[in-house]
Amino acid sequence: MEQATLYLSRDENLRANWQLNDPGTSGLGTGPPLIRDPVDTNARVHLDDRRRHLQFEGTVSAGDLPGQSSRLDCDQGAGKLNGRQANFTINGDPLATVAPEQPYRFEFTESSSGSRLNAKGDATPV
């Protein structure tokens, strides 16, 4: 993708335009295809999450870290979260390697409103 603009919304009942099925419906379905090699520079993102009372307007970039394409994916974003400046970075295993039998490792940093959050962990895909 190049020069993408994403409009993401979720209502109070958890219905989101990025989900294939509404919450609470039977069966998980296959969902949209997993993007295993995302590359986008400065995509515009407009998020309105009424369930979590979050609004974000800014830019997000996704792709491999320079010189580390076989090891990590990197997502970065900057913009306004609920009207205040916010920045985040997520570094994780390449999406191309995601498999149900192994954990997905990641590191996350976010700063906004004079606070900073750092997290490191792993998640097992379902």
Side-chain angles (χ1 to χ4, degrees):
M1 290 189 295
E2 292 182 16
Q3 300 179 349
T5 300
L6 305 174
Y7 295 93
L8 307 172
S9 65
R10 177 173 25 204
D11 67 17
E12 296 85 355
N13 297 315
L14 297 177
R15 288 187 305 262
N17 67 351
W18 63 81
Q19 294 174 314
L20 186 60
N21 299 318
D22 285 338
T25 59
S26 62
L28 294 175
T30 58
L34 178 64
I35 301 172
R36 293 196 175 270
D37 192 14
V39 176
D40 193 349
T41 304
N42 297 324
R44 295 286 310 153
V45 175
H46 304 272
L47 169 69
D48 180 12
D49 188 337
R50 294 185 183 178
R51 175 67 175 183
R52 294 206 168 99
H53 308 286
L54 295 173
Q55 293 205 351
F56 176 80
E57 296 223 8
T59 58
V60 175
S61 296
D64 294 328
L65 284 172
Q68 310 243 356
S69 61
S70 64
R71 290 189 32 225
L72 296 172
D73 283 334
C74 179
D75 298 329
Q76 299 178 355
K80 299 264 183 180
L81 177 63
N82 293 344
R84 297 185 179 184
Q85 187 63 38
N87 299 289
F88 70 86
T89 303
I90 303 170
N91 294 324
D93 292 336
L95 290 176
T97 66
V98 170
E101 63 277 356
Q102 64 187 30
Y104 175 81
R105 292 174 297 280
F106 65 91
E107 295 180 18
F108 173 79
T109 302
E110 187 268 344
S111 61
S112 62
S113 301
S115 298
R116 182 177 179 95
L117 171 67
N118 294 314
K120 185 176 184 178
D122 60 64
T124 302
V126 181

